[in-house]
Amino acid sequence: MTRQRVLMTAILAAIVVATAARQALSESGQQAAELTEGLERYHHDEDHHHTKPKYAYQYSVHDKHTGDVKDVWEHRDGDVTKGGYTLLEPDGHTRVVEYIVTKKGGFQATVKRLPPHHHH
């Protein structure tokens, strides 16, 4: 192969590679534009169809054999969560905790300790 022919083959190969790279970049640009448009549409829809969180749960344990006695509850409606628990402590007192969590006020709890119940 002559030197000129090698040079022409190299130039043609470079043109083919450049054309393929330009095509790939063009397709990538189109995909990026479609992705950006989809994300903008998602965020727009999210703003208009935002659902507020809402749930409630509770459970209790009253095991006379082990002395494990407790009640727990919580419910949430949007940005307000309320809950609490009671717990029988080893010395017979009952701990009562009630709380509220709001966006503006944060977490606020009240704690009480009730004396033991004596059965006659």
Side-chain angles (χ1 to χ4, degrees):
M1 212 183 253
T2 66
R3 192 175 175 155
Q4 242 181 344
R5 202 167 208 183
V6 170
L7 186 57
M8 288 297 285
T9 303
I11 290 171
L12 285 174
I15 290 171
V16 168
V17 169
T19 302
R22 192 174 321 128
Q23 178 69 26
L25 285 174
S26 175
E27 289 173 3
S28 294
Q30 179 64 30
Q31 289 173 348
E34 290 170 1
L35 179 59
T36 301
E37 182 182 319
L39 287 172
E40 288 171 356
R41 218 175 19 251
Y42 171 77
H43 288 297
H44 177 74
D45 290 346
E46 187 179 68
D47 291 341
H48 292 290
H49 301 291
H50 179 72
T51 59
K52 66 180 185 175
K54 189 169 187 168
Y55 65 83
Y57 75 87
Q58 68 180 49
Y59 71 90
S60 297
V61 175
H62 292 260
D63 187 337
K64 293 180 188 210
H65 179 71
T66 63
D68 188 9
V69 178
K70 58 189 161 212
D71 297 290
V72 178
W73 64 274
E74 182 176 280
H75 63 85
R76 179 174 181 181
D77 190 2
D79 291 334
V80 178
T81 303
K82 294 180 180 180
Y85 68 89
T86 61
L87 171 69
L88 182 61
E89 296 178 334
D91 66 359
H93 285 81
T94 300
R95 183 181 335 154
V96 179
V97 177
E98 294 180 326
Y99 60 87
I100 184 168
V101 183
T102 63
K103 203 173 201 177
K104 189 174 183 180
F107 178 85
Q108 298 175 0
T110 57
V111 181
K112 299 177 200 168
R113 191 163 189 250
L114 306 177
H117 290 356
H118 293 288
H119 299 286
H120 298 285

